[in-house]
Amino acid sequence: MDSTPEMTMQLTIDCAHPQLMVEFWAEALGYVQEPPPAGHASWRAYWQDLGVADEELPPGSGDLPESIIDPTGRGPRIWL
């Protein structure tokens, strides 16, 4: 049995309009928008639950997904 830990990777891309890029790259790569964690209506609600202050969340931040994931689980998570 191989005891080598599985390597995971995330790619972060800085951009001015993440929601537009999420739509484009999800379509281009065959990815899907990453849903918020269970029990949270949005990523914003999740971040607030973790204690991120409202002043650290720009208007609209987290209201729509800003990350995409490979539905097969093989590709990296991409956060825009």
Side-chain angles (χ1 to χ4, degrees):
M1 179 175 179
D2 185 7
S3 63
T4 305
E6 182 177 324
M7 183 182 90
T8 59
M9 184 176 85
Q10 172 176 291
L11 174 65
T12 303
I13 301 171
D14 186 17
C15 59
H17 303 285
Q19 286 84 14
L20 293 175
M21 302 279 47
V22 161
E23 291 177 26
F24 174 82
W25 285 110
E27 178 72 23
L29 298 173
Y31 273 41
V32 296
Q33 295 182 13
E34 184 175 22
H40 296 88
S42 68
W43 280 98
R44 182 180 201 85
Y46 172 71
W47 295 331
Q48 289 172 324
D49 194 41
L50 289 178
V52 176
D54 285 335
E55 55 270 7
E56 293 183 36
L57 296 170
S61 179
D63 292 337
L64 297 172
E66 296 176 356
S67 56
I68 58 176
I69 54 175
D70 179 351
T72 69
R74 289 180 286 210
R77 175 180 188 247
I78 301 176
W79 188 12
L80 300 136

